[in-house]
PDB file of all heavy atoms in Angstrom:
ATOM      1  N   MET A   1     -17.889   1.317  -1.600  1.00  0.00           N
ATOM      2  CA  MET A   1     -18.518   0.660  -0.448  1.00  0.00           C
ATOM      3  C   MET A   1     -19.160   1.698   0.453  1.00  0.00           C
ATOM      4  O   MET A   1     -20.220   1.485   1.028  1.00  0.00           O
ATOM      5  CB  MET A   1     -17.478  -0.126   0.360  1.00  0.00           C
ATOM      6  CG  MET A   1     -17.205  -1.519  -0.137  1.00  0.00           C
ATOM      7  SD  MET A   1     -18.628  -2.621  -0.179  1.00  0.00           S
ATOM      8  CE  MET A   1     -19.005  -2.831   1.565  1.00  0.00           C
ATOM      9  N   ASP A   2     -18.500   2.854   0.565  1.00  0.00           N
ATOM     10  CA  ASP A   2     -18.969   3.955   1.412  1.00  0.00           C
ATOM     11  C   ASP A   2     -18.975   5.223   0.565  1.00  0.00           C
ATOM     12  O   ASP A   2     -17.923   5.696   0.147  1.00  0.00           O
ATOM     13  CB  ASP A   2     -18.038   4.116   2.614  1.00  0.00           C
ATOM     14  CG  ASP A   2     -18.449   5.264   3.534  1.00  0.00           C
ATOM     15  OD1 ASP A   2     -19.423   5.981   3.217  1.00  0.00           O
ATOM     16  OD2 ASP A   2     -17.776   5.454   4.569  1.00  0.00           O
ATOM     17  N   ILE A   3     -20.151   5.744   0.285  1.00  0.00           N
ATOM     18  CA  ILE A   3     -20.289   6.893  -0.606  1.00  0.00           C
ATOM     19  C   ILE A   3     -19.551   8.121  -0.089  1.00  0.00           C
ATOM     20  O   ILE A   3     -19.198   9.027  -0.859  1.00  0.00           O
ATOM     21  CB  ILE A   3     -21.800   7.221  -0.837  1.00  0.00           C
ATOM     22  CG1 ILE A   3     -21.990   8.109  -2.072  1.00  0.00           C
ATOM     23  CG2 ILE A   3     -22.428   7.822   0.385  1.00  0.00           C
ATOM     24  CD1 ILE A   3     -21.687   7.438  -3.381  1.00  0.00           C
ATOM     25  N   THR A   4     -19.261   8.151   1.222  1.00  0.00           N
ATOM     26  CA  THR A   4     -18.538   9.291   1.791  1.00  0.00           C
ATOM     27  C   THR A   4     -17.018   9.119   1.729  1.00  0.00           C
ATOM     28  O   THR A   4     -16.273  10.037   2.059  1.00  0.00           O
ATOM     29  CB  THR A   4     -18.954   9.529   3.268  1.00  0.00           C
ATOM     30  OG1 THR A   4     -18.553   8.385   4.048  1.00  0.00           O
ATOM     31  CG2 THR A   4     -20.451   9.727   3.389  1.00  0.00           C
ATOM     32  N   ASP A   5     -16.565   7.936   1.310  1.00  0.00           N
ATOM     33  CA  ASP A   5     -15.123   7.657   1.220  1.00  0.00           C
ATOM     34  C   ASP A   5     -14.759   7.387  -0.238  1.00  0.00           C
ATOM     35  O   ASP A   5     -15.032   6.313  -0.776  1.00  0.00           O
ATOM     36  CB  ASP A   5     -14.767   6.449   2.099  1.00  0.00           C
ATOM     37  CG  ASP A   5     -13.283   6.110   2.056  1.00  0.00           C
ATOM     38  OD1 ASP A   5     -12.518   6.796   1.331  1.00  0.00           O
ATOM     39  OD2 ASP A   5     -12.886   5.143   2.732  1.00  0.00           O
ATOM     40  N   GLU A   6     -14.125   8.367  -0.880  1.00  0.00           N
ATOM     41  CA  GLU A   6     -13.804   8.281  -2.306  1.00  0.00           C
ATOM     42  C   GLU A   6     -12.874   7.121  -2.657  1.00  0.00           C
ATOM     43  O   GLU A   6     -12.802   6.694  -3.814  1.00  0.00           O
ATOM     44  CB  GLU A   6     -13.161   9.604  -2.775  1.00  0.00           C
ATOM     45  CG  GLU A   6     -14.108  10.803  -2.771  1.00  0.00           C
ATOM     46  CD  GLU A   6     -15.150  10.731  -3.877  1.00  0.00           C
ATOM     47  OE1 GLU A   6     -14.901  10.067  -4.894  1.00  0.00           O
ATOM     48  OE2 GLU A   6     -16.239  11.325  -3.710  1.00  0.00           O
ATOM     49  N   ASP A   7     -12.123   6.634  -1.672  1.00  0.00           N
ATOM     50  CA  ASP A   7     -11.163   5.564  -1.942  1.00  0.00           C
ATOM     51  C   ASP A   7     -11.677   4.169  -1.581  1.00  0.00           C
ATOM     52  O   ASP A   7     -10.937   3.184  -1.696  1.00  0.00           O
ATOM     53  CB  ASP A   7      -9.851   5.824  -1.190  1.00  0.00           C
ATOM     54  CG  ASP A   7      -9.110   7.040  -1.726  1.00  0.00           C
ATOM     55  OD1 ASP A   7      -9.167   7.264  -2.952  1.00  0.00           O
ATOM     56  OD2 ASP A   7      -8.500   7.772  -0.925  1.00  0.00           O
ATOM     57  N   SER A   8     -12.947   4.079  -1.174  1.00  0.00           N
ATOM     58  CA  SER A   8     -13.493   2.772  -0.767  1.00  0.00           C
ATOM     59  C   SER A   8     -14.029   2.001  -1.984  1.00  0.00           C
ATOM     60  O   SER A   8     -15.144   1.502  -1.985  1.00  0.00           O
ATOM     61  CB  SER A   8     -14.606   2.960   0.277  1.00  0.00           C
ATOM     62  OG  SER A   8     -15.699   3.673  -0.275  1.00  0.00           O
ATOM     63  N   VAL A   9     -13.182   1.898  -2.994  1.00  0.00           N
ATOM     64  CA  VAL A   9     -13.589   1.294  -4.269  1.00  0.00           C
ATOM     65  C   VAL A   9     -13.690  -0.230  -4.148  1.00  0.00           C
ATOM     66  O   VAL A   9     -12.783  -0.877  -3.619  1.00  0.00           O
ATOM     67  CB  VAL A   9     -12.592   1.666  -5.388  1.00  0.00           C
ATOM     68  CG1 VAL A   9     -12.929   0.938  -6.686  1.00  0.00           C
ATOM     69  CG2 VAL A   9     -12.575   3.172  -5.602  1.00  0.00           C
ATOM     70  N   VAL A  10     -14.792  -0.773  -4.642  1.00  0.00           N
ATOM     71  CA  VAL A  10     -14.925  -2.226  -4.782  1.00  0.00           C
ATOM     72  C   VAL A  10     -14.247  -2.576  -6.098  1.00  0.00           C
ATOM     73  O   VAL A  10     -14.763  -2.282  -7.168  1.00  0.00           O
ATOM     74  CB  VAL A  10     -16.401  -2.661  -4.804  1.00  0.00           C
ATOM     75  CG1 VAL A  10     -16.506  -4.186  -4.848  1.00  0.00           C
ATOM     76  CG2 VAL A  10     -17.159  -2.099  -3.615  1.00  0.00           C
ATOM     77  N   LYS A  11     -13.074  -3.211  -6.034  1.00  0.00           N
ATOM     78  CA  LYS A  11     -12.265  -3.407  -7.244  1.00  0.00           C
ATOM     79  C   LYS A  11     -12.840  -4.443  -8.199  1.00  0.00           C
ATOM     80  O   LYS A  11     -12.690  -4.309  -9.414  1.00  0.00           O
ATOM     81  CB  LYS A  11     -10.826  -3.783  -6.865  1.00  0.00           C
ATOM     82  CG  LYS A  11     -10.003  -2.617  -6.331  1.00  0.00           C
ATOM     83  CD  LYS A  11      -8.532  -3.012  -6.284  1.00  0.00           C
ATOM     84  CE  LYS A  11      -7.687  -1.830  -5.871  1.00  0.00           C
ATOM     85  NZ  LYS A  11      -6.240  -2.154  -5.899  1.00  0.00           N
ATOM     86  N   TYR A  12     -13.465  -5.485  -7.648  1.00  0.00           N
ATOM     87  CA  TYR A  12     -13.997  -6.550  -8.508  1.00  0.00           C
ATOM     88  C   TYR A  12     -15.415  -6.909  -8.077  1.00  0.00           C
ATOM     89  O   TYR A  12     -15.679  -7.102  -6.897  1.00  0.00           O
ATOM     90  CB  TYR A  12     -13.103  -7.801  -8.432  1.00  0.00           C
ATOM     91  CG  TYR A  12     -11.698  -7.539  -8.911  1.00  0.00           C
ATOM     92  CD1 TYR A  12     -10.682  -7.302  -7.993  1.00  0.00           C
ATOM     93  CD2 TYR A  12     -11.389  -7.509 -10.272  1.00  0.00           C
ATOM     94  CE1 TYR A  12      -9.383  -7.042  -8.421  1.00  0.00           C
ATOM     95  CE2 TYR A  12     -10.100  -7.247 -10.705  1.00  0.00           C
ATOM     96  CZ  TYR A  12      -9.097  -7.010  -9.782  1.00  0.00           C
ATOM     97  OH  TYR A  12      -7.837  -6.742 -10.208  1.00  0.00           O
ATOM     98  N   ILE A  13     -16.286  -6.980  -9.066  1.00  0.00           N
ATOM     99  CA  ILE A  13     -17.674  -7.381  -8.795  1.00  0.00           C
ATOM    100  C   ILE A  13     -18.055  -8.462  -9.799  1.00  0.00           C
ATOM    101  O   ILE A  13     -17.981  -8.239 -11.017  1.00  0.00           O
ATOM    102  CB  ILE A  13     -18.652  -6.190  -8.919  1.00  0.00           C
ATOM    103  CG1 ILE A  13     -18.308  -5.101  -7.890  1.00  0.00           C
ATOM    104  CG2 ILE A  13     -20.094  -6.660  -8.726  1.00  0.00           C
ATOM    105  CD1 ILE A  13     -19.180  -3.847  -8.015  1.00  0.00           C
ATOM    106  N   ASP A  14     -18.448  -9.628  -9.281  1.00  0.00           N
ATOM    107  CA  ASP A  14     -19.039 -10.649 -10.138  1.00  0.00           C
ATOM    108  C   ASP A  14     -20.509 -10.805  -9.732  1.00  0.00           C
ATOM    109  O   ASP A  14     -21.019 -10.035  -8.900  1.00  0.00           O
ATOM    110  CB  ASP A  14     -18.275 -11.975 -10.069  1.00  0.00           C
ATOM    111  CG  ASP A  14     -18.243 -12.567  -8.669  1.00  0.00           C
ATOM    112  OD1 ASP A  14     -19.002 -12.108  -7.787  1.00  0.00           O
ATOM    113  OD2 ASP A  14     -17.448 -13.511  -8.438  1.00  0.00           O
ATOM    114  N   THR A  15     -21.189 -11.779 -10.290  1.00  0.00           N
ATOM    115  CA  THR A  15     -22.632 -11.926 -10.035  1.00  0.00           C
ATOM    116  C   THR A  15     -22.936 -12.101  -8.550  1.00  0.00           C
ATOM    117  O   THR A  15     -23.872 -11.486  -8.012  1.00  0.00           O
ATOM    118  CB  THR A  15     -23.188 -13.123 -10.836  1.00  0.00           C
ATOM    119  OG1 THR A  15     -22.809 -12.980 -12.213  1.00  0.00           O
ATOM    120  CG2 THR A  15     -24.706 -13.167 -10.759  1.00  0.00           C
ATOM    121  N   ASN A  16     -22.151 -12.931  -7.865  1.00  0.00           N
ATOM    122  CA  ASN A  16     -22.387 -13.172  -6.434  1.00  0.00           C
ATOM    123  C   ASN A  16     -22.139 -11.919  -5.602  1.00  0.00           C
ATOM    124  O   ASN A  16     -22.925 -11.578  -4.706  1.00  0.00           O
ATOM    125  CB  ASN A  16     -21.503 -14.322  -5.935  1.00  0.00           C
ATOM    126  CG  ASN A  16     -21.939 -15.663  -6.486  1.00  0.00           C
ATOM    127  OD1 ASN A  16     -23.116 -15.856  -6.793  1.00  0.00           O
ATOM    128  ND2 ASN A  16     -20.996 -16.587  -6.629  1.00  0.00           N
ATOM    129  N   LYS A  17     -21.030 -11.235  -5.902  1.00  0.00           N
ATOM    130  CA  LYS A  17     -20.702  -9.996  -5.185  1.00  0.00           C
ATOM    131  C   LYS A  17     -21.783  -8.943  -5.425  1.00  0.00           C
ATOM    132  O   LYS A  17     -22.150  -8.191  -4.518  1.00  0.00           O
ATOM    133  CB  LYS A  17     -19.336  -9.485  -5.647  1.00  0.00           C
ATOM    134  CG  LYS A  17     -18.840  -8.236  -4.919  1.00  0.00           C
ATOM    135  CD  LYS A  17     -18.453  -8.535  -3.477  1.00  0.00           C
ATOM    136  CE  LYS A  17     -17.793  -7.349  -2.813  1.00  0.00           C
ATOM    137  NZ  LYS A  17     -17.478  -7.603  -1.399  1.00  0.00           N
ATOM    138  N   TYR A  18     -22.285  -8.901  -6.642  1.00  0.00           N
ATOM    139  CA  TYR A  18     -23.342  -7.948  -7.005  1.00  0.00           C
ATOM    140  C   TYR A  18     -24.580  -8.166  -6.134  1.00  0.00           C
ATOM    141  O   TYR A  18     -25.151  -7.204  -5.592  1.00  0.00           O
ATOM    142  CB  TYR A  18     -23.682  -8.120  -8.484  1.00  0.00           C
ATOM    143  CG  TYR A  18     -24.776  -7.231  -9.004  1.00  0.00           C
ATOM    144  CD1 TYR A  18     -24.735  -5.850  -8.851  1.00  0.00           C
ATOM    145  CD2 TYR A  18     -25.874  -7.777  -9.680  1.00  0.00           C
ATOM    146  CE1 TYR A  18     -25.738  -5.038  -9.352  1.00  0.00           C
ATOM    147  CE2 TYR A  18     -26.887  -6.976 -10.183  1.00  0.00           C
ATOM    148  CZ  TYR A  18     -26.812  -5.608 -10.014  1.00  0.00           C
ATOM    149  OH  TYR A  18     -27.812  -4.812 -10.513  1.00  0.00           O
ATOM    150  N   ARG A  19     -24.958  -9.433  -5.958  1.00  0.00           N
ATOM    151  CA  ARG A  19     -26.130  -9.741  -5.114  1.00  0.00           C
ATOM    152  C   ARG A  19     -25.895  -9.289  -3.679  1.00  0.00           C
ATOM    153  O   ARG A  19     -26.778  -8.734  -3.034  1.00  0.00           O
ATOM    154  CB  ARG A  19     -26.420 -11.246  -5.147  1.00  0.00           C
ATOM    155  CG  ARG A  19     -27.009 -11.739  -6.455  1.00  0.00           C
ATOM    156  CD  ARG A  19     -27.683 -13.092  -6.291  1.00  0.00           C
ATOM    157  NE  ARG A  19     -27.860 -13.731  -7.592  1.00  0.00           N
ATOM    158  CZ  ARG A  19     -27.031 -14.636  -8.110  1.00  0.00           C
ATOM    159  NH1 ARG A  19     -25.962 -15.010  -7.414  1.00  0.00           N
ATOM    160  NH2 ARG A  19     -27.268 -15.162  -9.283  1.00  0.00           N
ATOM    161  N   GLN A  20     -24.683  -9.536  -3.164  1.00  0.00           N
ATOM    162  CA  GLN A  20     -24.345  -9.114  -1.793  1.00  0.00           C
ATOM    163  C   GLN A  20     -24.447  -7.593  -1.640  1.00  0.00           C
ATOM    164  O   GLN A  20     -25.021  -7.092  -0.665  1.00  0.00           O
ATOM    165  CB  GLN A  20     -22.911  -9.546  -1.457  1.00  0.00           C
ATOM    166  CG  GLN A  20     -22.710 -11.033  -1.269  1.00  0.00           C
ATOM    167  CD  GLN A  20     -21.222 -11.377  -1.108  1.00  0.00           C
ATOM    168  OE1 GLN A  20     -20.404 -10.510  -0.805  1.00  0.00           O
ATOM    169  NE2 GLN A  20     -20.885 -12.643  -1.320  1.00  0.00           N
ATOM    170  N   LEU A  21     -23.898  -6.875  -2.608  1.00  0.00           N
ATOM    171  CA  LEU A  21     -23.895  -5.411  -2.543  1.00  0.00           C
ATOM    172  C   LEU A  21     -25.309  -4.841  -2.651  1.00  0.00           C
ATOM    173  O   LEU A  21     -25.630  -3.834  -2.020  1.00  0.00           O
ATOM    174  CB  LEU A  21     -23.003  -4.828  -3.649  1.00  0.00           C
ATOM    175  CG  LEU A  21     -21.503  -5.146  -3.521  1.00  0.00           C
ATOM    176  CD1 LEU A  21     -20.754  -4.680  -4.766  1.00  0.00           C
ATOM    177  CD2 LEU A  21     -20.913  -4.497  -2.271  1.00  0.00           C
ATOM    178  N   LEU A  22     -26.148  -5.510  -3.422  1.00  0.00           N
ATOM    179  CA  LEU A  22     -27.556  -5.097  -3.520  1.00  0.00           C
ATOM    180  C   LEU A  22     -28.255  -5.286  -2.169  1.00  0.00           C
ATOM    181  O   LEU A  22     -28.978  -4.396  -1.705  1.00  0.00           O
ATOM    182  CB  LEU A  22     -28.284  -5.911  -4.593  1.00  0.00           C
ATOM    183  CG  LEU A  22     -28.116  -5.495  -6.058  1.00  0.00           C
ATOM    184  CD1 LEU A  22     -28.786  -6.506  -6.968  1.00  0.00           C
ATOM    185  CD2 LEU A  22     -28.690  -4.103  -6.312  1.00  0.00           C
ATOM    186  N   GLU A  23     -28.038  -6.434  -1.558  1.00  0.00           N
ATOM    187  CA  GLU A  23     -28.658  -6.732  -0.258  1.00  0.00           C
ATOM    188  C   GLU A  23     -28.186  -5.765   0.819  1.00  0.00           C
ATOM    189  O   GLU A  23     -28.944  -5.385   1.710  1.00  0.00           O
ATOM    190  CB  GLU A  23     -28.338  -8.178   0.156  1.00  0.00           C
ATOM    191  CG  GLU A  23     -29.087  -9.224  -0.650  1.00  0.00           C
ATOM    192  CD  GLU A  23     -28.550 -10.638  -0.426  1.00  0.00           C
ATOM    193  OE1 GLU A  23     -27.680 -10.814   0.462  1.00  0.00           O
ATOM    194  OE2 GLU A  23     -28.993 -11.556  -1.155  1.00  0.00           O
ATOM    195  N   GLN A  24     -26.906  -5.346   0.719  1.00  0.00           N
ATOM    196  CA  GLN A  24     -26.347  -4.409   1.707  1.00  0.00           C
ATOM    197  C   GLN A  24     -26.735  -2.960   1.423  1.00  0.00           C
ATOM    198  O   GLN A  24     -26.463  -2.077   2.240  1.00  0.00           O
ATOM    199  CB  GLN A  24     -24.810  -4.529   1.706  1.00  0.00           C
ATOM    200  CG  GLN A  24     -24.290  -5.860   2.223  1.00  0.00           C
ATOM    201  CD  GLN A  24     -22.806  -6.071   1.893  1.00  0.00           C
ATOM    202  OE1 GLN A  24     -22.142  -5.185   1.370  1.00  0.00           O
ATOM    203  NE2 GLN A  24     -22.297  -7.250   2.209  1.00  0.00           N
ATOM    204  N   GLY A  25     -27.375  -2.724   0.284  1.00  0.00           N
ATOM    205  CA  GLY A  25     -27.772  -1.358  -0.076  1.00  0.00           C
ATOM    206  C   GLY A  25     -26.619  -0.509  -0.574  1.00  0.00           C
ATOM    207  O   GLY A  25     -26.743   0.718  -0.699  1.00  0.00           O
ATOM    208  N   VAL A  26     -25.477  -1.162  -0.886  1.00  0.00           N
ATOM    209  CA  VAL A  26     -24.309  -0.421  -1.397  1.00  0.00           C
ATOM    210  C   VAL A  26     -24.597   0.078  -2.808  1.00  0.00           C
ATOM    211  O   VAL A  26     -24.262   1.213  -3.174  1.00  0.00           O
ATOM    212  CB  VAL A  26     -23.041  -1.319  -1.385  1.00  0.00           C
ATOM    213  CG1 VAL A  26     -21.880  -0.639  -2.115  1.00  0.00           C
ATOM    214  CG2 VAL A  26     -22.651  -1.654   0.054  1.00  0.00           C
ATOM    215  N   ILE A  27     -25.221  -0.776  -3.619  1.00  0.00           N
ATOM    216  CA  ILE A  27     -25.615  -0.381  -4.973  1.00  0.00           C
ATOM    217  C   ILE A  27     -27.061   0.077  -4.934  1.00  0.00           C
ATOM    218  O   ILE A  27     -27.965  -0.720  -4.655  1.00  0.00           O
ATOM    219  CB  ILE A  27     -25.419  -1.542  -5.967  1.00  0.00           C
ATOM    220  CG1 ILE A  27     -23.931  -1.872  -6.081  1.00  0.00           C
ATOM    221  CG2 ILE A  27     -25.989  -1.189  -7.333  1.00  0.00           C
ATOM    222  CD1 ILE A  27     -23.635  -3.133  -6.860  1.00  0.00           C
ATOM    223  N   ALA A  28     -27.255   1.356  -5.166  1.00  0.00           N
ATOM    224  CA  ALA A  28     -28.600   1.946  -5.106  1.00  0.00           C
ATOM    225  C   ALA A  28     -28.622   3.210  -5.953  1.00  0.00           C
ATOM    226  O   ALA A  28     -27.607   3.634  -6.514  1.00  0.00           O
ATOM    227  CB  ALA A  28     -28.964   2.267  -3.653  1.00  0.00           C
ATOM    228  N   ASP A  29     -29.785   3.811  -6.051  1.00  0.00           N
ATOM    229  CA  ASP A  29     -29.970   5.095  -6.749  1.00  0.00           C
ATOM    230  C   ASP A  29     -29.388   5.045  -8.164  1.00  0.00           C
ATOM    231  O   ASP A  29     -29.659   4.120  -8.905  1.00  0.00           O
ATOM    232  CB  ASP A  29     -29.351   6.244  -5.938  1.00  0.00           C
ATOM    233  CG  ASP A  29     -29.930   6.334  -4.532  1.00  0.00           C
ATOM    234  OD1 ASP A  29     -31.144   6.082  -4.391  1.00  0.00           O
ATOM    235  OD2 ASP A  29     -29.183   6.615  -3.581  1.00  0.00           O
ATOM    236  N   GLY A  30     -28.560   6.035  -8.512  1.00  0.00           N
ATOM    237  CA  GLY A  30     -28.047   6.148  -9.877  1.00  0.00           C
ATOM    238  C   GLY A  30     -27.114   5.032 -10.288  1.00  0.00           C
ATOM    239  O   GLY A  30     -26.948   4.757 -11.480  1.00  0.00           O
ATOM    240  N   MET A  31     -26.488   4.358  -9.307  1.00  0.00           N
ATOM    241  CA  MET A  31     -25.574   3.265  -9.638  1.00  0.00           C
ATOM    242  C   MET A  31     -26.332   2.009 -10.058  1.00  0.00           C
ATOM    243  O   MET A  31     -25.802   1.169 -10.793  1.00  0.00           O
ATOM    244  CB  MET A  31     -24.661   2.968  -8.436  1.00  0.00           C
ATOM    245  CG  MET A  31     -23.496   2.050  -8.739  1.00  0.00           C
ATOM    246  SD  MET A  31     -22.435   2.581 -10.103  1.00  0.00           S
ATOM    247  CE  MET A  31     -21.566   3.945  -9.332  1.00  0.00           C
TER     248      MET A  31
END
């Protein structure tokens, strides 16, 4: 969730969560 926090792992991602993370800019660049 936060690239500066190694422990801020998103444990589960489904299609809806994926869309949310894209909109929030959490998933970007190499990911």
Side-chain angles (χ1 to χ4, degrees):
M1 275 301 293
D2 179 357
I3 198 68
T4 64
D5 180 359
E6 292 288 335
D7 292 325
S8 63
V9 175
V10 184
K11 286 193 175 184
Y12 298 99
I13 298 176
D14 60 13
T15 308
N16 290 332
K17 183 71 172 177
Y18 179 54
R19 288 199 198 97
Q20 289 173 18
L21 294 172
L22 279 174
E23 287 168 7
Q24 293 166 6
V26 171
I27 295 171
D29 303 323
M31 191 55 73

